[in-house]
């Protein structure tokens, strides 16, 4: 083995005593925890409450996992529903296979439901989560390294990835596209954090910047991959998806900046604050009757003067 190359793990399972932990699932779990932690810090800095990000994630994460798996199974249906394949494998998410496009789309639906329940604007929450989400993607991509999947074209570069012989793969050295995308995602996170501070992005524009920047990188990285995929006009399906989503994200940034410039002032209303009670009415002397246009104090003074005059007479 040439030590200049990046070795692949001999197994994709980490044994924790009697509990087998698959590397792919481990990377996803770590990514989710990091995203919630970092997203919470950004949400609080925007004026939100601690814990809100975790509450919304309870909805967004399951929706995202379902959406990511659905996109993968639908776009790579031949892996599960063609002759000789077992359709039950479509449910084995731990063996790899999540489409980021479906994960983000369905995750946004789950987040929208949770945000409506808490009375907070989804775009503001998405802006806070944007760099956190792409960092989670950077971590999650290492799951492909554990599974020895989704690598690029053959190469003998010093950072080439060594792949061992196995089902649907040939031993050799290939471009580590998982590493390229992981590093790209970290760069996108830094870009979004910088732009958000510099330009005070709001109303979903930080999230849209993340989407556009990620798509720009995913396009050329996807083009390098050699795994089986559907092609349209000579390009892989995911390349076309990246192009279309990139255009939509850029259009959103431009249009949103004109329609709703600036940033939200309030991202999370204080629902725990007690409503202000009306001031208690001023107590009046039961023996004093106000004259029209007179206050109780004036009426009392006049009654005293009248009594004194009666005594003198």
């Amino acid at each position: 083995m040439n030590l200049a190359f990046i070795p692949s793990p001999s197994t994709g399972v980490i044994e924790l005593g009697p509990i087998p932990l698959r590397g792919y699932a481990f990377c996803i779990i770590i990514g989710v925890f990091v995203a919630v932690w970092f997203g919470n810090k950004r949400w609080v800095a925007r004026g939100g409450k601690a814990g809100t990000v975790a509450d919304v994630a309870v909805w967004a994460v399951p929706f995202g996992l379902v959406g990511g798996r659905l996109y993968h199974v639908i776009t790579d249906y031949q892996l599960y529903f063609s002759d000789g394949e077992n359709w039950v494998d479509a449910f084995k998410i731990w063996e790899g296979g999540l489409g980021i496009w479906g994960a983000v789309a369905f995750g946004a639906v789950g987040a929208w439901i949770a945000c409506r329940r808490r009375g907070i604007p989804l775009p503001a929450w998405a802006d806070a989560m944007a760099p956190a989400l792409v960092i989670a993607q950077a971590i999650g991509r290492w799951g492909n390294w554990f599974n020895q999947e989704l690598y690029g074209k053959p190469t003998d570069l010093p950072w080439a990835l060594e792949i061992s012989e196995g089902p649907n793969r040939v031993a050799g050295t290939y471009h580590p596209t998982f590493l390229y995308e992981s590093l790209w995602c970290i760069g996108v996170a830094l870009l979004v954090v910088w732009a958000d501070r510099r330009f005070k992005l709001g109303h979903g524009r930080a999230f849209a910047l993340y989407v556009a920047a990620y798509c720009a990188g995913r396009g050329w990285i996807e083009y390098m991959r050699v795994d089986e995929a559907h092609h349209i006009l000579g390009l892989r399906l995911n390349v076309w998806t990246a192009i279309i989503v990139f255009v939509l994200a850029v259009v959103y940034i431009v249009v949103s900046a004109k329609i709703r410039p600036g940033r939200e002032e309030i991202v999370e209303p204080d629902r725990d604050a007690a409503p202000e009670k009306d001031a208690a009415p001023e107590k009046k002397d039961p023996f004093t009757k106000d004259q029209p246009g007179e206050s109780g104090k004036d009426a009392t003074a006049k009654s005293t003067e009248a009594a004194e005059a009666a005594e003198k007479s």
Side-chain angles (χ1 to χ4, degrees), residues 49 51-52 55-56 113-120 268-269 271:
K49 297 179 182 178
T52 296
D55 292 342
V56 176
I113 295 174
C115 286
R116 280 186 61 87
R117 288 166 60 90
R118 294 188 65 93
I120 61 179
E268 185 168 6
R271 299 192 303 171

Side-chain angles (χ1 to χ4, degrees), residues 16-92:
L16 297 178
I19 303 175
L21 178 61
R22 294 185 176 274
Y24 186 87
F26 180 72
C27 291
I28 292 176
I29 293 171
I30 295 298
V32 169
F33 275 99
V34 171
V36 171
W37 169 78
F38 186 36
N40 181 72
K41 290 178 66 69
R42 284 178 50 83
W43 180 251
V44 172
R46 288 284 303 273
K49 297 179 182 178
T52 296
V53 166
D55 292 342
V56 176
V58 170
W59 286 80
V61 172
F63 271 73
L65 290 175
V66 171
R69 188 60 176 178
L70 279 175
Y71 181 89
H72 166 72
V73 172
I74 291 173
T75 56
D76 290 310
Y77 61 88
Q78 72 280 355
L79 300 177
Y80 308 100
F81 302 105
S82 59
D83 293 339
E85 302 294 343
N86 187 358
W87 63 270
V88 176
D89 292 341
F91 297 95
K92 297 179 180 180

